[in-house]
Amino acid sequence: MDTEKIAESVGEILLDRPTEPMEWTEELNQRRFALIDKEIQGTLTPAETFELADLTRIMRENVDSEANFPLEGVKALHRKLLELKNANSGV
C-alpha cells in the first residue's frame, strides 16, 4: 500500500473518531477480537491496524474507569466489618 493510501486511511479514522468517551460494548469487543485474529494471521490491513489501536484505547479507557470499581459492595463490606468490630469491642 502506498503512503498516500495510508494517509487517506489514517485521515478517515481520525475524522470518524467520537469526541466524547465511548461505552465498551460486546459488539466492539467482538470486532477487536476479529482484528486480533487477523493480526495473528498476518492479514490485518493498515486501516484495520489503526482501528485495532483505537478499539484497544477505548477498551482500556473503560476498563480503567472508576465506574468499573465495585464501590457499593466494598462500602457494604466495610459497614459490616465496622459493625463486627463495634460488636466485639462492646461499643
Side-chain angles (χ1 to χ4, degrees), residues 8-23:
E8 180 182 39
S9 297
V10 170
E12 288 173 4
I13 292 166
L14 292 176
L15 291 175
D16 287 342
R17 174 182 256 177
T19 55
E20 48 190 60
M22 287 181 63
E23 181 180 341

Side-chain angles (χ1 to χ4, degrees), residues 46-63:
E48 289 170 331
T49 300
F50 288 108
E51 181 183 1
L52 177 56
D54 203 38
L55 287 172
T56 300
R57 178 192 57 80
I58 295 166
M59 179 203 61
R60 286 184 178 148
E61 286 174 357
N62 279 265
V63 168

Side-chain angles (χ1 to χ4, degrees), residues 22-76:
M22 287 181 63
E23 181 180 341
W24 189 247
T25 64
E26 183 60 29
E27 290 79 19
L28 292 175
N29 200 42
Q30 290 302 316
R31 177 63 179 157
R32 184 171 175 270
F33 285 153
L35 292 173
I36 290 170
D37 286 343
K38 288 185 78 170
E39 182 179 41
I40 291 168
Q41 296 167 7
T43 60
L44 200 64
T45 67
E48 289 170 331
T49 300
F50 288 108
E51 181 183 1
L52 177 56
D54 203 38
L55 287 172
T56 300
R57 178 192 57 80
I58 295 166
M59 179 203 61
R60 286 184 178 148
E61 286 174 357
N62 279 265
V63 168
D64 293 342
S65 167
E66 289 180 15
N68 289 321
F69 295 135
L71 292 181
E72 288 308 312
V74 171
K75 288 177 184 178

